[in-house]
């Protein structure tokens, strides 16, 4: 359980909105309900630079902007909360569109409580994993940013698998100087082995 997580619930049906909010609230989640996609966007825009952790529980068919349009709008804005979409009119095309846009799950109304709880827990867990990964990438990128321009040139070639002599020839320096640069790079990046240095660079770029 993630007590600091907020479930953003967007559904224009007050009865469904209230029942879902009550159920999830009793399960220990903090709920922030919205009557429309436009209402959510207006509030979400104020916190885009530092969004609250959690997930978005989103109805597909609503007056005004529908759920898929909101989902697509959020995708255009960059990283966002994991989305669970809901509908009473589920069909293959709608399901495909929602999942293709990045939805973590698709629930048909009437919502099964166990399925809802499982989907919300998985979505919230995904959001926290994404945040942890983003924080790690930022920390690694900070280490790399400390390198000088020449050290970055050497690092780029080390990661590409170049040998000392190749790097020396490409940069018009001696192999011994390459070794000195590599030593400085490893010290600044806080690693002891070259495989760890390569993994650090890959993780800083969001690669496994």
């Amino acid at each position: 359980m993630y007590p600091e997580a907020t479930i953003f619930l967007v559904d224009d049906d007050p009865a469904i909105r209230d029942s879902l909010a009550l159920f999830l609230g009793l399960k220990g989640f903090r709920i922030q309900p919205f009557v429309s996609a436009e209402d959510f966007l207006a509030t979400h825009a104020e916190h885009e630079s530092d969004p609250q952790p959690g997930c978005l529980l989103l109805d597909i068919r609503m007056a005004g902007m529908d759920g898929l349009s909101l989902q697509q709008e959020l995708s255009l804005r960059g990283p966002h909360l994991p989305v669970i979409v809901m509908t009473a009119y589920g069909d293959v095309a709608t399901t495909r569109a929602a999942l293709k846009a990045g939805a973590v799950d698709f629930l048909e109304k009437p919502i099964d409580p166990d399925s809802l709880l499982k989907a919300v827990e998985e979505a919230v867990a995904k959001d926290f994993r994404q945040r942890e990964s983003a924080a790690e990438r930022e920390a690694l990128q900070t280490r790399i940013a400390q390198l000088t321009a020449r050290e970055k040139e050497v690092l780029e070639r080390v990661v590409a698998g170049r040998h000392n002599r190749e790097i020396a020839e490409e940069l018009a320096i001696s192999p011994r100087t390459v070794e000195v640069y590599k030593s400085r790079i490893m010290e600044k990046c806080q690693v002891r082995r070259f495989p760890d240095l390569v993994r650090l660079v890959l993780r800083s770029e969001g690669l496994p």
Side-chain angles (χ1 to χ4, degrees):
M1 179 60 72
Y2 300 90
E4 63 271 46
T6 298
I7 310 304
F8 299 90
L9 172 57
V10 184
D11 196 311
D12 60 357
D13 186 322
I16 292 177
R17 195 170 60 244
D18 291 346
S19 65
L20 294 180
L22 177 60
F23 173 74
L24 291 171
L26 292 173
K27 295 298 180 180
F29 290 102
R30 186 164 49 216
I31 313 300
Q32 190 168 353
F34 297 90
V35 299
S36 68
E38 292 86 351
D39 186 26
F40 171 80
L41 280 177
T43 301
H44 183 68
E46 300 174 6
H47 304 284
E48 276 188 310
S49 61
D50 185 26
Q52 296 171 264
C55 73
L56 174 60
L57 190 55
L58 175 63
D59 187 31
I60 290 291
R61 293 198 178 186
M62 296 183 289
M65 177 184 282
D66 63 27
L68 285 178
S69 297
L70 172 58
Q71 190 183 6
Q72 291 163 0
E73 174 64 25
L74 292 175
S75 296
L76 293 174
R77 298 187 181 198
H80 58 85
L81 292 166
V83 177
I84 301 167
V85 293
M86 310 177 293
T87 183
Y89 309 94
D91 58 54
V92 174
T94 302
T95 302
R96 184 186 299 115
L99 296 176
K100 187 175 181 180
V104 298
D105 211 337
F106 188 97
L107 303 176
E108 289 193 61
K109 298 178 180 178
I111 304 294
D112 173 66
D114 291 337
S115 298
L116 172 63
L117 185 59
K118 182 175 182 290
V120 167
E121 289 175 341
E122 290 179 354
V124 170
K126 178 181 179 180
D127 187 46
F128 275 84
R129 288 195 302 271
Q130 290 176 163
R131 289 168 183 272
E132 289 170 359
S133 295
E136 180 191 35
R137 284 197 303 274
E138 185 175 350
L140 296 177
Q141 289 165 359
T142 298
R143 292 188 205 175
I144 294 172
Q146 299 177 66
L147 303 179
T148 65
R150 177 62 92 184
E151 288 167 349
K152 289 177 181 177
E153 289 178 335
V154 172
L155 176 61
E156 178 182 343
R157 287 160 175 78
V158 169
V159 173
R162 303 278 205 284
H163 296 295
N164 283 2
R165 288 192 177 279
E166 293 177 286
I167 297 173
E169 290 176 5
E170 289 183 22
L171 299 180
I173 56 179
S174 71
R176 173 59 184 159
T177 302
V178 173
E179 277 297 331
V180 172
Y181 277 123
K182 287 168 72 173
S183 178
R184 291 177 183 170
I185 291 168
M186 292 179 69
E187 181 179 352
K188 289 182 179 180
C189 289
Q190 302 172 29
V191 296
R192 295 184 178 181
R193 304 185 310 129
F194 288 118
D196 294 332
L197 181 62
V198 173
R199 279 194 290 271
L200 181 149
V201 173
L202 295 177
R203 292 206 309 273
S204 75
E205 296 171 350
L207 300 173

